[in-house]
Amino acid sequence: MKNNLKKTWDVYLIHHSHTDIGYTERQDKITRYHYDYIRQAIELLDKAHRSQDPDYEGFVWQCENYWQVEQFYKMADEDLISRFEAYVASGEIGLSGNYLNMTDLTSEAAFDDVMEEVEGYGKRIGHPITAGMSADINGLSWGYPEVLYRHGLRYFYTALHPHHGMFPLFKKTCPYYWETESGERILMWNGDHYHVGNEMFLVPHAGSDYTFHDEFTAGLRANSITGRDADKVEEREMEIAITRIGRYLENLEKEEYPYDLVPFMVSGAITDNAPPNLEITRRAHKLTEAFEGRVRFRMVTLEDFFAEVKKRCKDIPVYKGDFTDWWADGVGSTPAAVKVYRDAARKYDLCKKLDPKGRIYSREDMLQAARDLMLYAEHTWGYSSSVSQPWDSMVESLEYKKTAYATNANTQVSKGLDDILAERGEVSVRQDKPQHYIIINPHNRRMKTSCYLYIEFWEFVDGVSFEPSMPIVVTNSATGEVLKSQVKRIARATMVEVEVDLAPNETIHAEIHLAGENDDIENTIRNHAHIGADGIEDILQDQRRDEYRIDSSFYTISIDDTKGINSIIWNRDNTELLRADSDLAPFSGVYEITDIDTDPCDVRRRMGRNRKNCSTHRYYSRLKGKKIVEDGPVYTALELEYDLEGTGIYTVFLKVYRSLPKLEFNVRIHKESKWEPENLYIALPFTAGNDGEFYLNKTGCIIRPGIDQLPGTCQDFYLIRNALAWKSLGKTVAVISKDVPLAALGDLKARRIELCKAPDKARNSAMVYSWPMNNFWETNFKVDLAGFYEFRYSLIVDEGSSVADVFNSCVCEDEGIITGYAD
């Protein structure tokens, strides 16, 4: 064969099955598939060894992730397991130290626990796992390699899919060292698409055309290029393979690619969740012969490949920062289920804090919850026709089964937490129970905040049938100290919000009694001029708590009739916490919808890395009413009612605490059903001053967007753990996002995408939005966002603490103080 290659090339084929938990089939069927694919790989290896056929010499299977291996061990018999481990030892089956192809929704605690299992498995079979891979996904949190390194991984291959995403470093097919925050390094390979080997026709009867655009494209997409003569299919496939591989390698040489090796991922069939294919070895041998030894093809494991990289690739660059996930926005298509997941992740952390040695909640039970958390945070969000055929039964089935991972994890950790609390003194409701409570600070830091106690609707207090208008007093049972409290009627109880100041890991007991004549409570009758006999409270006060201004020890909040909240002053230094360059009120809504001009999928596909286009309609919420709905000794509550397209209800419920440095905002939405592409954003126009920097926390790390990132990564949106912070020299303003993990930066307009060229101070100082909802992706995002939702946020201001300490405070505030009934 004639070619213009200057080098002698080694092409390494990594044969794997890309794991989508769903997308191509129901999740339980996928589980059996991947057990069976490992079984098939073992039998193909057995066949190759028995036949001694040179065409099949060198067959290698690479397990894409540890989850596949986990399913195999659950279903395989002892003989099959023994043969599997023998092939792992011989290097003919490769192991991967990644659990699944994850999103940044991943809980660090759950990830750490499953990776401990991965590490332990490798040691147990005498083959420590040092390499891992991901396929399809477009990013990993900067904390991800920290966990991988902690559990023995030193090498990691990313086979990216740049559909609505892009590879980092402004180029692909290259090695680099990814340095963690702690200074450790993992050798990465920034790889091509995970089906690129199939596009090279390295797999008989499994060629494709996706990222290539050449003279074969039209025929391949029309399924006509190989014709109807079976005897000519092999000849035609070899022609395409030789042409495409030759051009690919020639282009690398033209680009002055410094190495003489290149890897290609290959799948046994042109689909995700594909079986192994022994014929790849035959095709590899034929191609080596066709290229007359100038290009040598060999099937390898990840470990084999990285051994060659370490030996032959010199002057490998080092990069630090976040590999920001382009596909994080999938979580916005299932906001209700994500809320269940986030609650489960919080409880998982609380179980580990309260029972660190697993004495009450067993390690195996924790691991099962961890696996379900990982399965929900895995990147597959639904069936492949979720947008094109949202009525399809498989679409509905996969949606509920995906949600079940979050639900099951929540159920498991809730039971574990209940068991732990019972051990610590929590009791169940009983008919004649006194109003005694246990209050636990599970955190290793002092917590000055509020917590909730409950009086069931049927309870008697001090022998009297209770109703919320009765004055009560809450006291510390041990000291008799009165704890400031405020009551509110909820669905089946009276909720009593109590201010507490607890030492690290402190537990106290409290009790509720009816207030006596000598108890210090706020009376409803006051002698200064504030209300008339008509019941209208419209006299201006010095200390105001009305619908135009609310004063507290820490904040002064102003509200107008046009947009709602127009000023939040931090009283300690009399500074404004709202950006001067934004016209949006905090927690007001922005709704986008794009007309379907072709079909529901194509309009989404053509958006590229934008999540909208230039014709997208954008609407801003309009204030239509405001009123004080609660006012008591702990907080004042203001309700702001808005009109916003795409919604039937858009309400902001604000709590201003009198003597705590926090504000709470609950955004309540009734979302209408649409098939068109949609986004719903919530404005966060906050600032700590013009000299500040913006931070957010992600799985296992804290970053400055636009600054602490790998070059060439996404800087338009981020999937956070739970908090955002604006830090200046004097203070830090932080927003805790309890339910919504997505945050967007910038002006929201469609445009040419600017990849990160750190440091980008302009991007770091851009306007910030919480992004609770979208149905952007054209295949497997849930398209129907309709329903009732409440998204909860808190704002805190800290003076003098480090960024790390502020985020630790945010995590503790998010997880909260635990309360329960006690004897």
Side-chain angles (χ1 to χ4, degrees), residues 199-318:
E199 293 196 71
M200 303 283 193
F201 277 74
L202 286 158
V203 187
H205 298 177
S208 67
D209 191 271
Y210 184 55
T211 63
F212 281 63
H213 304 281
D214 56 19
E215 68 270 31
F216 307 115
T217 297
L220 286 168
R221 295 186 177 179
N223 199 29
S224 62
I225 198 162
T226 54
R228 293 175 178 267
D229 186 343
D231 294 333
K232 292 185 178 180
V233 169
E234 176 75 8
E235 178 184 336
R236 188 61 165 150
E237 287 190 353
M238 282 292 291
E239 177 193 352
I240 299 171
I242 290 166
T243 302
R244 285 185 165 180
I245 292 165
R247 286 175 180 169
Y248 189 97
L249 298 178
E250 286 173 14
N251 181 67
L252 288 178
E253 291 184 350
K254 190 182 299 181
E255 292 178 349
E256 299 182 342
Y257 179 78
Y259 314 118
D260 58 2
L261 60 80
V262 66
F264 295 143
M265 291 279 170
V266 291
S267 292
I270 188 56
T271 181
D272 297 333
N273 300 311
N277 189 335
L278 185 61
E279 293 300 310
I280 296 172
T281 52
R282 182 176 59 80
R283 178 64 55 86
H285 293 314
K286 287 188 71 172
L287 285 168
T288 298
E289 183 179 332
F291 277 95
E292 300 173 350
R294 295 299 302 278
V295 184
R296 299 172 297 213
F297 296 83
R298 176 185 161 207
M299 299 182 78
V300 296
T301 65
L302 290 170
E303 291 175 5
D304 295 334
F305 170 66
F306 277 109
E308 293 298 319
V309 173
K310 282 202 74 174
K311 182 168 62 178
R312 295 163 60 177
C313 297
K314 308 301 180 186
D315 302 318
I316 297 175
V318 179

Side-chain angles (χ1 to χ4, degrees), residues 463-476:
V464 176
S465 179
F466 181 76
E467 61 93 22
S469 65
M470 295 179 176
I472 61 167
V473 62
V474 182
T475 58
N476 182 318

Side-chain angles (χ1 to χ4, degrees), residues 761-782:
K761 297 292 182 68
R763 174 60 52 168
N764 184 260
S765 62
M767 176 69 182
V768 180
Y769 298 85
S770 182
W771 188 14
M773 293 187 197
N774 73 81
N775 62 359
F776 151 74
W777 199 276
E778 69 264 32
T779 54
N780 63 326
F781 278 23
K782 185 171 186 270

Side-chain angles (χ1 to χ4, degrees), residues 432-500:
D432 60 344
K433 78 173 187 69
Q435 284 69 47
H436 292 176
Y437 304 87
I438 186 171
I439 301 176
I440 302 170
N441 176 9
H443 313 293
N444 61 358
R445 63 186 300 119
R446 178 188 175 195
M447 294 292 291
K448 187 173 183 180
T449 185
S450 62
C451 63
Y452 299 96
L453 310 177
Y454 297 91
I455 304 172
E456 305 286 345
F457 73 91
W458 46 263
E459 284 193 62
F460 279 59
V461 177
D462 295 340
V464 176
S465 179
F466 181 76
E467 61 93 22
S469 65
M470 295 179 176
I472 61 167
V473 62
V474 182
T475 58
N476 182 318
S477 300
T479 67
E481 174 194 2
V482 174
L483 306 177
K484 190 182 294 185
S485 64
Q486 184 167 332
V487 301
K488 177 180 181 178
R489 169 66 65 90
I490 58 174
R492 296 184 58 82
T494 295
M495 182 171 70
V496 184
E497 187 162 2
V498 180
E499 284 189 16
V500 291

Side-chain angles (χ1 to χ4, degrees), residues 81-213:
I81 289 171
S82 177
R83 288 152 64 196
F84 173 77
E85 291 179 0
Y87 283 129
V88 170
S90 68
E92 292 166 282
I93 291 181
L95 300 175
S96 169
N98 197 21
Y99 189 72
L100 279 166
N101 299 298
M102 304 304 299
T103 68
D104 281 350
L105 192 62
T106 305
S107 156
E108 182 186 6
F111 181 36
D112 192 65
D113 283 348
V114 297
M115 284 304 299
E116 188 174 328
E117 287 293 293
V118 173
E119 182 182 17
Y121 165 76
K123 291 177 179 177
R124 192 164 60 251
I125 67 167
H127 191 100
I129 302 173
T130 59
M133 66 170 287
S134 65
D136 208 10
I137 60 173
N138 276 243
L140 298 164
S141 166
W142 195 12
Y144 208 86
E146 198 84 66
V147 177
L148 295 176
Y149 192 93
R150 188 185 308 149
H151 293 289
L153 268 71
R154 299 297 180 266
Y155 315 105
F156 202 85
Y157 191 117
T158 55
L160 277 81
H161 183 179
H163 184 70
H164 299 308
M166 189 53 62
F167 38 80
L169 312 183
F170 298 98
K171 62 180 178 180
K172 54 185 170 61
T173 315
C174 60
Y176 66 99
Y177 282 101
W178 193 6
E179 187 171 309
T180 68
E181 278 192 285
S182 66
E184 307 294 354
R185 291 180 180 179
I186 286 186
L187 178 57
M188 305 287 292
W189 188 269
N190 191 20
D192 217 318
H193 185 264
Y194 64 94
H195 278 156
V196 71
N198 297 76
E199 293 196 71
M200 303 283 193
F201 277 74
L202 286 158
V203 187
H205 298 177
S208 67
D209 191 271
Y210 184 55
T211 63
F212 281 63
H213 304 281

